[in-house]
Amino acid sequence: MLTVLNRVFVSAFYARNAGTFLVIILLAFGFLSAVEHKALITAALGSPLLLALIFGLWGLYLLKTVSFIQQELTAPEHLFLQTFWLIPTPARLAMWFGVQLALLFPIIAYGGWMIQIASVYKRWGSLTAIALVLAGLTATGVALVDYRLKHPNPESFRLPHLAISLRYELFFPTYWLRHEPLSLVLTKVFSCLLLVGVCRLYPTDDYDQRLLLIGLLLAVLGHSQVGSQVSAFEHKYLLLLPNLPFSRLQRFGRYTLMYGLIWLPELFILLRNCPTDIRLDYVVWLWLTGWGWILLLHALAYPQTINPERWLSGILAGFIGGLLLIMFSLPVGIWLALGWLGALGYWHWSFEQR
């Protein structure tokens, strides 16, 4: 039974969020060395505020894993798991514990590193707090998912129904906000904070425009899972969409508007934090470039037959290749043309294959 749970929850969770994990790993260990990570952890061990901030981020990650499990438990293809509650409570809780340990492995591993450093510097208070928080997060996750297993349709307070007609471009953003808010918040917060951090680096040293391109590349890759989420949403709720009388250009235009809405916060971030040495028109071109590349990622990730392992390998290869091209000073105009033409061309080709 544990094997089934791992396939349904653990493997699916990491496959669906592979792009986000990859970007976080590349950001954390590509820009910060082990010494800098150690200095950051040491500072957190001596600062209750920083330590509380880290615990808060861990709590958000726990909510994301719990939300994913609860969502999968109610999926039609997983309704057979409702019989899981018939297993004796000790065995069932032990299996949930194993699932939670696997899902929380990233923060458990990082917490273990923090505990090791805390023991070296004899920060026993911080060490105890980290251990208790990790244990509490795991136990909380087990309790929440087991409760939802026993109460698949909990009664909740509902606001009066308000009928509002939405355009197609707002269908997925609205669904994303209502049903997967943690995914939305983490994706946009990561992308926006990354761009803010890159812009704030300019006053500290001499940087050229390539730094902004690197930040843009990472922000775009942070949205690499959105295409598969849009695909899953449409194949679940918009089954008649492929049969509607829309031309391929009309369909592409609708996706363009939808992703423009999703990518809009990054424009405000770039305009608000534009470095003094960077022209405003360059920032606008930079945002348009990111818009085109997100559309290209959507076109590549939309087919449901895509292999998660191949997709992850492709994202990694794309990051390395893009980084090399940025280092060789490929102009932003070429990046913009490649993104938009690639998105339009691949969309046209994939439409012909259907």
Side-chain angles (χ1 to χ4, degrees):
M1 188 64 187
L2 185 59
T3 303
V4 175
L5 295 178
N6 284 328
R7 285 176 179 252
V8 172
F9 299 120
V10 180
S11 300
F13 176 80
Y14 284 111
R16 186 173 299 182
N17 298 279
T20 302
F21 280 115
L22 176 62
V23 173
I24 292 175
I25 292 173
L26 291 174
L27 179 65
F29 297 97
F31 288 93
L32 295 178
S33 65
V35 175
E36 292 169 328
H37 268 293
K38 187 175 180 180
L40 180 63
I41 292 175
T42 304
L45 293 175
S47 171
L49 180 61
L50 286 178
L51 202 58
L53 178 61
I54 293 175
F55 292 162
L57 294 175
W58 289 357
L60 289 177
Y61 179 80
L62 171 70
L63 291 178
K64 182 176 178 62
T65 62
V66 171
S67 175
F68 176 81
I69 292 178
Q70 293 178 347
Q71 179 183 353
E72 293 301 305
L73 281 173
T74 57
E77 62 271 22
H78 298 150
L79 290 180
F80 69 94
L81 288 174
Q82 298 300 325
T83 59
F84 183 43
W85 71 273
L86 297 174
I87 295 178
T89 300
R92 188 179 68 251
L93 293 180
M95 292 182 188
W96 278 133
F97 184 75
V99 171
Q100 280 298 320
L101 284 181
L103 291 175
L104 297 179
F105 176 77
I107 64 174
I108 291 175
Y110 197 79
W113 190 15
M114 294 180 69
I115 288 176
Q116 186 269 330
I117 295 176
S119 65
V120 172
Y121 290 99
K122 298 182 179 180
R123 298 278 187 176
W124 306 120
S126 298
L127 186 151
T128 303
I130 294 170
L132 290 176
V133 167
L134 289 175
L137 289 175
T138 306
T140 302
V142 170
L144 289 176
V145 297
D146 193 63
Y147 178 83
R148 176 51 60 90
L149 178 67
K150 295 180 180 179
H151 304 81
N153 298 302
E155 296 182 358
S156 59
F157 174 75
R158 295 182 179 273
L159 295 174
H161 179 69
L162 180 63
I164 300 177
S165 298
L166 296 177
R167 290 179 54 86
Y168 167 78
E169 294 80 6
L170 297 174
F171 284 2
F172 174 73
T174 303
Y175 168 83
W176 201 12
L177 177 63
R178 292 183 58 189
H179 298 279
E180 299 182 19
L182 283 177
S183 173
L184 171 63
V185 170
L186 291 177
T187 299
K188 301 311 294 183
V189 167
F190 170 78
S191 176
C192 292
L193 288 181
L194 177 65
L195 292 176
V196 170
V198 168
C199 291
R200 295 291 177 88
L201 280 176
Y202 274 82
T204 64
D205 206 340
D206 293 328
Y207 295 104
D208 56 26
Q209 295 173 345
R210 290 178 296 180
L211 180 62
L212 276 176
L213 275 172
I214 294 175
L216 178 74
L217 175 63
L218 290 171
V220 168
L221 291 181
H223 291 74
S224 60
Q225 85 286 356
V226 179
S228 61
Q229 290 177 286
V230 172
S231 176
F233 165 73
E234 292 187 350
H235 283 86
K236 185 175 182 179
Y237 297 104
L238 303 176
L239 295 177
L240 295 179
L241 182 62
N243 298 323
L244 295 180
F246 295 133
S247 67
R248 68 191 68 178
L249 188 59
Q250 287 177 315
R251 295 175 188 271
F252 183 78
R254 290 170 182 269
Y255 285 121
T256 300
L257 292 176
M258 182 183 71
Y259 278 98
L261 177 63
I262 293 174
W263 186 241
L264 188 60
E266 280 72 7
L267 175 61
F268 298 128
I269 291 295
L270 288 171
L271 292 176
R272 175 65 178 81
N273 298 276
C274 179
T276 55
D277 296 333
I278 302 297
R279 302 192 317 272
L280 192 62
D281 62 322
Y282 180 85
V283 170
V284 175
W285 281 103
L286 200 71
W287 180 79
L288 292 173
T289 301
W291 189 3
W293 278 92
I294 286 180
L295 273 172
L296 178 57
L297 283 178
H298 164 82
L300 294 172
Y302 189 81
Q304 285 195 314
T305 56
I306 188 169
N307 188 317
E309 294 182 359
R310 292 184 60 185
W311 177 252
L312 182 59
S313 301
I315 292 296
L316 179 59
F319 171 77
I320 296 174
L323 195 59
L324 289 175
L325 291 176
I326 291 173
M327 291 297 101
F328 282 101
S329 301
L330 188 68
V332 67
I334 296 181
W335 282 107
L336 185 145
L338 289 175
W340 281 95
L341 293 177
L344 185 58
Y346 190 85
W347 177 257
H348 176 79
W349 176 83
S350 61
F351 193 88
E352 292 287 345
Q353 302 301 313
R354 297 173 190 174

